[in-house]
Amino acid sequence: RKPPQKSSGVFKQSSLSGVPVPVLTVAIRRTLDLFGTESRFEQMAEPILKWVGGKRQLLSDLRSRFPIKYDQYHEPFIGGGAVFFELEPTTGSINDLNRRLITFYKIIRDHPDQLIKENQRHSYDEDYYYDARDRFNKLHTLDERSVKQEIEEASLMLYLNRTGYNG
């Protein structure tokens, strides 16, 4: 596996440049399998997160407005990534002002197996949910985090998103 590339995105601290789409989409598909979401390996990857302002319902209209051919795709505000995963570009960058969101996508790209393992630890009961939310919020207060803590944060983000936002 190639080491992560340095960001050349618009938002230097919150961007992911040169996204290897096949690696990212396969990791997302494998992660979704843990949540009982049907795998569709022959089709596009689904957005893994539900996101306020998501473009999922607008995809057919938006798709008709994109050029048929382009060299690179640069997403300024990735959010849940509906447009990105619909287009499945081969090169480009994803960006967002939300540092936790970009870290989430970096973990999917760079540490998919560790993220999947971490996702398997979650429990689906009310007490666990609130403990997970408290831990997620505590991780956000740290100035610096280890890779292990970033993996935990990414896993908690996915868990909370899937269980707490109409998940």
Side-chain angles (χ1 to χ4, degrees):
R1 185 183 317 166
K2 291 181 185 177
Q5 297 177 358
K6 293 225 183 261
S7 169
S8 62
V10 175
F11 306 106
K12 296 290 185 198
Q13 290 196 333
S14 297
S15 64
L16 186 59
S17 185
V19 177
V21 175
V23 172
L24 189 60
T25 56
V26 167
I28 286 173
R29 288 175 185 139
R30 289 174 58 203
T31 302
L32 284 173
D33 284 345
L34 294 173
F35 287 90
T37 304
E38 206 173 301
S39 286
R40 300 180 340 176
F41 285 93
E42 69 284 352
Q43 298 178 19
M44 73 162 203
E46 290 285 328
I48 193 168
L49 296 173
K50 297 175 182 183
W51 206 256
V52 174
K55 309 293 182 288
R56 233 181 273 215
Q57 286 74 25
L58 303 173
L59 283 176
S60 60
D61 186 48
L62 291 174
R63 182 94 165 139
S64 69
R65 298 170 192 273
F66 278 94
I68 294 171
K69 187 175 181 181
Y70 53 90
D71 293 325
Q72 292 188 354
Y73 176 82
H74 298 283
E75 174 66 64
F77 305 106
I78 188 70
V83 174
F84 175 78
F85 293 113
E86 170 71 16
L87 297 175
E88 288 195 1
T90 56
T91 61
S93 63
I94 62 174
N95 303 276
D96 205 283
L97 291 172
N98 185 330
R99 174 182 62 103
R100 293 175 110 176
L101 183 61
I102 293 300
T103 298
F104 174 79
Y105 287 117
K106 285 180 180 179
I107 293 300
I108 289 172
R109 181 192 67 187
D110 299 339
H111 306 284
D113 293 329
Q114 294 94 321
L115 178 61
I116 289 168
K117 185 177 179 181
E118 186 72 21
N119 285 342
Q120 292 170 333
R121 295 184 38 219
H122 298 301
S123 173
Y124 296 92
D125 64 68
E126 188 174 353
D127 290 337
Y128 182 85
Y129 173 85
Y130 289 112
D131 290 343
R133 188 177 70 179
D134 290 344
R135 177 68 181 149
F136 180 73
N137 290 332
K138 184 178 180 186
L139 286 168
H140 187 57
T141 65
L142 302 176
D143 289 333
E144 293 188 30
R145 292 164 313 199
S146 66
V147 171
K148 184 177 178 181
Q149 288 170 320
E150 287 181 339
I151 292 169
E152 179 185 11
E153 181 182 59
S155 178
L156 288 168
M157 183 176 199
L158 180 59
Y159 168 79
L160 294 169
N161 182 269
R162 286 285 172 155
T163 58
Y165 178 78
N166 296 327

